[in-house]
């Protein structure tokens, strides 16, 4: 009995150890969604699922660690070739993004809120958006975002979006405002759909497929907003014909029906005649 009890206790201890190890592994990494626009305003990553690790072992995940992991996974040459950050008097700052070192003209947002430092925390499921300024004189690139990250529906379904921009008032307090006159793009191709004065737009996607929805403007340099749309094909509708419809639409079917009826009539007549003869006997 003691041996059996010892074995049970040992198994319980092993199981607990495995649970704690699994928990520790989960806590040591987090999945976030990273979007990056390059120096030409082109999207090079669109909501890529990136696994972030706690590189400095401080018990949290940061914007810096998320962008480092994104470059390590997706940039040709890894983070060493495409990414750099350093501590300055302003805190942890960005010095190279997607292979471009332009003196610090970058922007980065978490869940569409501007980050004050690369040391800002990110959590599992967060959306991290970073971009390189295309206007290096007035830094007029305007960060904007849709009110949805992703949508799924059947082909022919209607989608309604609101496009909002981020900026600052005269006292440098952060503000948001609607983007009017922005033209919607689907997988990079320009469409006829344009946002109204409230930043709203409604349109349909007639074809099944995967889409990256973004926007451009003739009057403002927009940091490309992103929304992923998954459009599934409508199931085929199978219509059943009634017997009358089949007879009307298919002459061959009608001929077969008459022949079958005649054969049945002959058979019934034969059976009836046989029964009469048996009765007479």
């Amino acid at each position: 009995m003691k041996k059996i009890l010892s074995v049970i206790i040992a198994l319980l201890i092993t199981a607990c150890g495995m649970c704690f190890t699994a928990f520790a592994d989960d806590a040591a990494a987090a999945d976030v969604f990273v979007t990056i626009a390059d120096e030409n305003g082109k999207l090079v990553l669109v909501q890529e699922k990136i696994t972030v690790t706690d590189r400095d072992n401080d018990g949290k995940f940061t914007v810096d660690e998320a962008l480092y992991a994104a470059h390590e996974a997706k940039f040709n040459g890894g983070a060493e070739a495409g990414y750099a950050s350093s501590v300055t008097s302003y805190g942890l700052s960005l010095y190279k993004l997607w292979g471009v070192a332009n003196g610090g003209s970058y922007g980065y947002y978490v869940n569409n809120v501007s980050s004050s430092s690369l040391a800002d925390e990110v959590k599992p499921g967060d959306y991290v958006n970073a971009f390189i300024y295309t206007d290096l004189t007035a830094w007029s690139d305007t960060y904007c975002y849709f009110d949805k990250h992703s949508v799924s529906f059947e082909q022919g379904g209607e989608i309604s979006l609101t496009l909002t921009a981020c900026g600052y008032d005269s006292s440098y307090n952060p503000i948001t405002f609607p983007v009017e006159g922005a033209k919607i793009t689907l997988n990079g191709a320009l469409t006829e759909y344009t946002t109204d004065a409230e930043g709203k737009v409604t349109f349909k996607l007639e074809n099944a497929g995967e889409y990256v929805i973004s926007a451009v403007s003739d009057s403002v340099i927009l940091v490309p907003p992103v929304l992923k749309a998954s459009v599934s094909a409508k199931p085929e509708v199978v219509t059943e014909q009634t017997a009358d419809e089949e007879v009307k639409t298919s002459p061959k079917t009608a001929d077969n029906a008459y022949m079958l009826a005649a054969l049945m009539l002959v058979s019934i007549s034969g059976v009836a005649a046989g029964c009469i003869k048996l009765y007479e006997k």
Side-chain angles (χ1 to χ4, degrees):
M1 180 64 73
K2 288 183 178 179
K3 288 183 177 180
I4 294 173
L5 187 60
S6 298
V7 171
I8 292 172
I9 292 172
L11 289 172
L12 287 171
I13 292 172
T14 301
C16 289
M18 291 174 65
C19 290
F20 280 120
T21 300
F23 178 78
D25 289 341
D26 289 341
D31 289 335
V32 301
F33 300 93
V34 177
T35 297
I36 296 177
D38 67 12
E39 73 274 23
N40 299 311
K42 179 184 176 182
L43 290 166
V44 290
L45 291 185
V46 178
Q47 293 181 8
E48 286 286 344
K49 187 177 181 180
I50 299 295
T51 299
V52 186
T53 58
D54 184 10
R55 296 180 63 231
D56 57 7
N57 296 313
D58 65 350
K60 67 176 183 179
F61 309 108
T62 63
V63 175
D64 179 56
E65 289 166 339
L67 293 177
Y68 179 93
H71 284 74
E72 191 70 10
K74 298 295 180 179
F75 189 79
N76 186 20
E80 183 177 356
Y83 183 77
S85 61
S86 180
V87 177
T88 69
S89 57
Y90 297 102
L92 188 59
S93 302
L94 187 54
Y95 274 91
K96 182 189 287 186
L97 182 68
W98 212 251
V100 176
N102 64 6
S105 297
Y106 314 100
Y108 37 92
Y109 288 67
V110 178
N111 299 329
N112 299 318
V113 176
S114 179
S115 296
S116 59
S117 167
L118 286 176
D120 287 355
E121 186 174 2
V122 297
K123 297 178 180 178
D126 279 352
Y127 288 81
V128 179
N129 290 30
F131 65 95
I132 303 168
Y133 274 89
T134 62
D135 178 5
L136 299 180
T137 303
W139 296 279
S140 61
D141 298 51
T142 301
Y143 181 85
C144 59
Y145 59 91
F146 293 115
D147 56 330
K148 302 176 181 69
H149 290 297
S150 61
V151 292
S152 299
F153 51 84
E154 284 187 355
Q155 63 185 113
E158 195 171 74
I159 176 173
S160 295
L161 302 174
T162 301
L163 185 60
T164 302
C166 297
Y168 298 91
D169 62 17
S170 57
S171 301
Y172 294 100
N173 296 311
I175 59 172
T176 60
F177 51 91
V179 180
E180 181 180 3
K183 301 174 183 177
I184 299 299
T185 64
L186 297 179
N187 292 340
L190 203 60
T191 72
E192 61 184 5
Y193 307 113
T194 304
T195 56
D196 63 17
E198 296 180 339
K200 299 182 183 297
V201 61
T202 299
F203 56 94
K204 290 184 178 182
L205 293 177
E206 299 291 351
N207 299 319
E210 302 296 321
Y211 296 89
V212 173
I213 300 175
S214 189
V216 295
S217 173
D218 293 332
S219 57
V220 181
I221 300 175
L222 296 180
V223 176
V226 293
L227 180 149
K228 281 189 171 181
S230 180
V231 183
S232 58
K234 281 186 177 180
E236 292 186 10
V237 178
V238 179
T239 57
E240 296 184 358
Q241 290 180 312
T242 64
D244 290 339
E245 288 173 331
E246 289 176 354
V247 170
K248 290 177 182 176
T249 56
S250 177
K252 188 174 285 189
T253 302
D255 292 342
N256 291 339
Y258 287 130
M259 188 177 294
L260 182 60
L263 288 172
M264 290 178 65
L265 184 59
V266 171
S267 299
I268 292 170
S269 299
V271 172
C275 290
I276 291 170
K277 287 181 179 180
L278 286 174
Y279 178 75
E280 288 175 346
K281 289 180 180 180

